[in-house]
Amino acid sequence: MAEHDPDDDNQGLALHRIGVRFGGLVALDDVSLRVPPGRTVGVIGPNGAGKTTLFNVVCGFVPPTGGSLTLDGRPLRPKPHQLTRIGIARTLQGVGQFGGLSVLDNVLAGTDHAARAGFAAALFGLPRSDRDERRLRDDAMEALRICGVAEYADVLPGGLPYAVRKRVALARALVAKPRLLLLDEPAGGLGAEEITELGQLIKGLGCAVLLVEHHMDLVMKICDDILVLDFGKPVAFGTPDEIRTNAAVTDAYLGEAA
Ligand SMILES: Nc1ncnc2c1ncn2[C@@H]1O[C@H](COP(=O)(O)OP(=O)(O)O)[C@@H](O)[C@H]1O
Ligand SMILES: [Mg+2]
């Protein structure tokens, strides 16, 4: 990681002065952020701060009304269905699984277009199909193993505990072997111990992570840098220690509790 300069726009993802308006509502106002290779960058803020909107801008669900994005210094206009092809994978809030498919098949659904062409080939009995399918299944099993849920590969996800389903959702993102993983509220609905374990898992992944999360504790524990949003505006940026002692951050969160 030391060879990467976190201030170098030509490495990793960079958001430049992003703005998003929904009609008269300013959801993001002049937000800049870098996610360098291998680093874990958190975005926190009270409900309605604009965290999911920022996430959706990077995923290509919401076009920015101002500013721009770059990936390794090149302009990025993300399209949701092309993300895995450029090395970006995401999970969404909740679990988003197909109830009728096994855990393993749900993870396989996260493989990219080129890989799925292998599936099509399998359907039509084309020569390389067996090898392709075996490789994909190996990748999916490996992703489940990394997430500690390989034992559930053949089970339908519906009856599984929520924490397990969240891990399956993470495995589904990881099967694409992303260099940048986008997580929106991965700790949502989890208990304190499950959050600690999830933090250790995310920290050990090795890829860059953009972690959008309402709960400060997880973000504080695993992020290298943290951006704090309030009403769509950046109110602080820094290391966990810097953020912990920042008065503007305390104000934003206390304001929410009041
Ligand atoms: N599609 C949308 N249309 C209109 N307003 C939206 C839309 N998405 C989000 N908003 C508004 O933008 C603001 C930021 O929302 P959001 O990004 O979901 O915040 P967070 O994830 O931090 O809770 C909120 O006021 C929300 O109501
Ligand atoms: Mg949100």
Side-chain angles (χ1 to χ4, degrees):
M1 232 175 292
E3 70 271 22
H4 297 302
D5 177 358
D7 291 330
D8 184 353
D9 262 0
N10 292 320
Q11 297 185 333
L13 175 75
L15 283 69
H16 307 270
R17 311 199 63 172
I18 292 293
V20 172
R21 284 168 186 274
F22 296 113
L25 186 132
V26 180
L28 288 177
D29 187 9
D30 206 1
V31 177
S32 296
L33 182 67
R34 292 194 183 96
V35 188
R39 285 181 71 103
T40 302
V41 177
V43 178
I44 59 174
N47 277 324
K51 302 183 296 296
T52 295
T53 302
L54 183 144
F55 183 91
N56 285 341
V57 165
V58 179
C59 289
F61 291 130
V62 170
T65 43
S68 61
L69 297 109
T70 56
L71 187 66
D72 296 337
R74 285 185 293 275
L76 174 68
R77 285 176 203 84
K79 304 265 185 315
H81 59 285
Q82 291 173 347
L83 282 182
T84 56
R85 225 177 284 169
I86 55 172
I88 302 178
R90 60 177 166 77
T91 65
L92 300 177
Q93 276 180 277
V95 290
Q97 276 143 20
F98 304 113
L101 293 181
S102 72
V103 161
L104 180 64
D105 284 336
N106 266 283
V107 173
L108 283 167
T111 52
D112 67 17
H113 291 254
R116 260 188 269 139
F119 265 141
L123 281 177
F124 296 110
L126 299 174
R128 286 175 52 233
S129 59
D130 278 2
R131 204 177 59 207
D132 285 350
E133 201 194 323
R134 216 174 311 127
R135 182 177 55 81
L136 280 176
R137 284 183 175 265
D138 288 349
D139 287 351
M141 282 307 297
E142 178 61 16
L144 286 169
R145 249 189 304 276
I146 290 169
C147 295
V149 289
E151 67 196 274
Y152 304 106
D154 299 323
V155 177
L156 295 179
L160 292 171
Y162 191 71
V164 173
R165 300 187 66 183
K166 294 282 274 191
R167 281 170 175 254
V168 172
L170 185 58
R172 182 178 167 177
L174 290 178
V175 75
K177 298 184 178 153
R179 57 191 171 128
L180 171 62
L181 178 65
L182 313 174
L183 302 172
D184 190 7
E185 307 243 359
L190 299 184
E193 199 174 319
E194 291 164 341
I195 293 177
T196 303
E197 287 168 4
L198 178 71
Q200 287 160 354
L201 169 59
I202 295 172
K203 201 60 207 162
L205 291 177
C207 59
V209 177
L210 178 63
L211 171 63
V212 169
E213 182 58 64
H214 176 72
H215 294 289
M216 279 235 254
D217 34 357
L218 174 66
V219 174
M220 288 293 177
K221 223 174 271 172
I222 68 170
C223 290
D224 300 300
D225 306 306
I226 299 171
L227 171 71
V228 185
L229 295 177
D230 195 19
F231 295 110
K233 288 186 174 42
V235 293
F237 179 80
T239 64
D241 279 345
E242 288 164 349
I243 293 302
R244 222 184 303 269
T245 53
N246 186 302
V249 178
T250 325
D251 286 352
Y253 274 86
L254 290 180
E256 186 191 37

